[in-house]
Amino acid sequence: MYDFNYQKAASVADASAKIKASDDGMLMAGGMTLIPTLKQRLAQPADVVDLGGITDLVGISVDGDMVTIGAMTSHAVVAASTEVKSKIPALADLADGIGDPQVRNRGTIGGSIANNDPAADYPSACVGLGATIVTDQREIPADDFFVGMFETALEEGEVITAVKFPTPSKAAYMKFPNPASRYAIVGVFVSEGSGGCRVAVTGAGQNGVFRVDEMESALTSNFSAQAVANIVIPEDDLNSDIHASAEYRAHLVTVMAKRAVIKAG
């Protein structure tokens, strides 16, 4: 681990000011990705600004058909939330399947989506539910937030404060997990709501989470597993590694989509 200056933010404004004042600073939420990265010397920030003391960023609220989750809310809290289980049980189910108990109790929703790991679970929920990412500066539709592998639309010094999820009429998430890390080799989030049907895939794409238009159209006409059973996913832009080939991932997208639709229905 390289030397860095550790700073603890007292508020969102303080965190933004500290990160903007740094020549090369990084924000830390739960630290589930950043700390291992620092230990392996894969990053050398001048400053690490810890968001852990900002209580305003923790919590879950429901306003009508909108569920708002604070950026520093842990996966375990989302998984156990009666509000989330009542309004969007698929989201609670997704959170309960992230990593292991240690990761779920330390990792946060804001940290996960800001990192935008191409195999992370939360990006599929954000895109699959048509969520809105709230920052200290603006609100960003999930479709515009995730722009590439480990890349987001966040500007320098911009801090995620919450994520707003509209309540769907039905939704489910199914993933084929890596047996060691529990990251998604392929994960598919399916939903039906006032805006129509959405199908978001994580783990498979070279550029991270993506939607499957053909499946969404098919489910809009007929929300059933049979409607997506014969849809073939192109392999061109899919990941291929020691865990699964692009061809196998393409196959898994259809399999997981079918299972998600059955689970949702």
Side-chain angles (χ1 to χ4, degrees), residues 42-255:
L42 297 175
Q44 190 177 1
D47 301 272
V48 171
V49 180
D50 189 355
L51 303 174
I54 308 176
T55 57
D56 290 347
L57 297 182
V58 180
I60 298 169
S61 63
V62 176
D63 184 8
D65 289 331
M66 189 68 68
V67 177
T68 301
I69 302 177
M72 288 296 291
T73 306
S74 70
H75 312 321
V77 169
V78 175
S81 167
T82 54
E83 294 95 338
V84 177
K85 287 180 179 180
S86 173
K87 289 289 188 176
I88 317 176
L91 186 58
D93 180 57
L94 177 148
D96 195 42
I98 296 175
D100 52 32
Q102 290 80 3
V103 169
R104 290 193 290 275
N105 278 282
R106 288 294 305 169
T108 66
I109 184 171
S112 175
I113 64 175
N115 186 51
N116 192 20
D117 190 298
D121 298 295
Y122 268 126
S124 69
C126 291
V127 174
L129 288 167
T132 300
I133 287 77
V134 184
T135 77
D136 59 334
Q137 300 178 27
R138 55 184 170 148
E139 296 191 356
I140 311 169
D143 287 335
D144 300 327
F145 181 82
F146 303 101
V147 299
M149 185 180 292
F150 296 106
E151 292 185 62
T152 70
L154 291 172
E155 301 289 347
E156 183 179 354
E158 191 170 9
V159 181
I160 299 173
T161 59
V163 185
K164 294 180 178 179
F165 292 95
T167 302
S169 56
K170 58 182 70 172
Y173 177 65
M174 291 296 296
K175 74 172 174 179
F176 190 88
N178 181 301
S181 68
R182 310 306 293 174
Y183 271 102
I185 291 177
V186 169
V188 180
F189 199 105
V190 172
S191 76
E192 182 181 64
S194 58
C197 292
R198 282 177 168 257
V199 178
V201 179
T202 189
Q206 292 180 4
N207 291 317
V209 64
F210 65 91
R211 292 171 65 181
V212 184
D213 294 340
E214 188 176 358
M215 286 187 176
E216 292 179 351
S217 297
L219 291 174
T220 298
S221 299
N222 175 23
F223 197 91
S224 71
Q226 189 58 39
V228 299
N230 298 316
I231 294 177
V232 178
I233 305 301
E235 303 169 23
D236 299 349
D237 296 323
L238 300 189
N239 290 324
S240 184
D241 52 32
I242 61 172
H243 304 296
S245 66
E247 179 184 13
Y248 187 49
R249 278 187 164 92
H251 170 71
L252 283 176
V253 171
T254 301
V255 173

